[in-house]
Amino acid sequence: MLRRPLLRQEGEEKAPARLVDQLADENLAVDVLVNNAGLMEVGDFAKIGLDEHERLVQLNVAVLTSLTRRLLPAMIERGHGRILNLASTSSFQPVPSMALYAASKAFVLSLSEALSEELWGTGVTVTALCPGITKTDMYDRAQGEHPVARKLPGLLLSEVQDVAREGYEACVAGRAVVVPGLPNRLLASAVQLYPRWLVRGVGGLVGRRSTK
Ligand SMILES: NC(=O)c1ccc[n+]([C@@H]2O[C@H](COP(=O)([O-])OP(=O)(O)OC[C@H]3O[C@@H](n4cnc5c(N)ncnc54)[C@H](OP(=O)(O)O)[C@@H]3O)[C@@H](O)[C@H]2O)c1
């Protein structure tokens, strides 16, 4: 498992290489890679510090890409492997006031889906797990920053165990995309059916109201 202290060191962008070197030194083969670590930020893109944006892109996009690229060839060579990438229901539409986070999760979903097709027939599968709002530390922090997060109906809140179980089962089965929970599946499907201007506009209204 990728541990935070490794990524907190100077030269954070080199952490995936160091981790993979350590695994090689200890003769450890990775059969299952779970790219779970992620950062979220809430607020106006122009007001959030550039260093925060860069940390988010580094962790949510660059580290996930680097670990996947470094560990995938050996999985293909062995003819088996599973990669589980943490995307989000925010992967399916732009989210004003969480613009960069949603963009990073759209990247994760797109990359995962493309790879799952590229890897067809190799014995290696890639699964994008797209949870809705889940009761973790990330959600606790969002409640402090985002009034909307405090008013969400219970129906839209997922339990960690349920998300983990659905993600695990989809990963083992080699499914490309899983959205845990019926309400989240309905929402994710709906935003793909409605015109983009409408989805964007509704998101903008909610975002503007919630960050005031
Ligand atoms: N909670 C939600 O509503 C929700 C919804 C959709 C998707 N997700 C995604 O699910 C994943 C897990 O999120 P969570 O809700 O469990 O968030 P969380 O409670 O904030 O946990 C974040 C995880 O990322 C790790 N992490 C943070 N910064 C790191 C760094 N620089 N280097 C290495 N590891 C780092 C943390 O490690 P430590 O344990 O060492 O702190 C922790 O394991 C994320 O990718 C998130 O985007 C969450």
Side-chain angles (χ1 to χ4, degrees):
M1 182 192 281
L2 182 63
R3 294 311 306 155
R4 181 191 281 241
L6 191 66
L7 283 177
R8 292 285 179 224
Q9 291 169 16
E10 190 74 16
E12 201 166 67
E13 68 287 349
K14 298 202 178 101
R18 279 202 305 273
L19 178 66
V20 174
D21 286 349
Q22 279 177 18
L23 292 168
D25 288 347
E26 293 176 32
N27 269 331
L28 288 173
V30 176
D31 290 322
V32 181
L33 168 65
V34 180
N35 282 307
N36 174 67
L39 286 175
M40 188 183 69
E41 49 176 42
V42 179
D44 292 345
F45 179 85
K47 291 183 186 159
I48 296 172
L50 181 56
D51 53 339
E52 274 188 62
H53 286 327
E54 287 174 346
R55 276 179 47 222
L56 188 152
V57 172
Q58 174 64 24
L59 187 62
N60 295 13
V61 175
V63 166
L64 178 144
T65 304
S66 180
L67 283 174
T68 302
R69 172 60 183 84
R70 287 171 195 281
L71 295 173
L72 185 54
M75 290 183 183
I76 297 172
E77 211 170 294
R78 289 193 297 274
H80 64 90
R82 291 286 179 271
I83 299 178
L84 180 65
N85 288 333
L86 262 292
S88 162
T89 47
S90 69
S91 302
F92 296 101
Q93 73 281 308
V95 183
S97 86
M98 287 172 46
L100 189 59
Y101 176 76
S104 76
K105 294 301 179 182
F107 170 92
V108 175
L109 176 61
S110 176
L111 181 73
S112 304
E113 286 200 87
L115 291 185
S116 76
E117 286 299 317
E118 275 188 26
L119 293 168
W120 196 88
T122 63
V124 183
T125 60
V126 179
T127 301
L129 171 58
C130 305
I133 298 157
T134 309
K135 294 181 201 163
T136 65
D137 292 349
M138 185 180 277
Y139 169 65
D140 290 342
R141 286 192 299 276
Q143 281 187 303
E145 297 165 20
H146 211 307
V148 167
R150 290 194 289 272
K151 293 181 202 150
L152 286 170
L155 190 70
L156 290 180
L157 293 178
S158 303
E159 299 291 339
V160 173
Q161 291 83 352
D162 297 335
V163 172
R165 188 183 332 100
E166 287 205 43
Y168 171 80
E169 287 170 1
C171 177
V172 170
R175 285 169 56 200
V177 183
V178 56
V179 181
L182 183 62
N184 292 319
R185 279 195 287 281
L186 291 175
L187 277 176
S189 303
V191 296
Q192 292 174 85
L193 293 175
Y194 288 113
R196 284 187 81 85
W197 63 264
L198 181 60
V199 172
R200 193 170 63 235
V202 170
L205 270 177
V206 174
R208 279 189 294 280
R209 282 188 56 191
S210 63
T211 50
K212 276 196 180 124

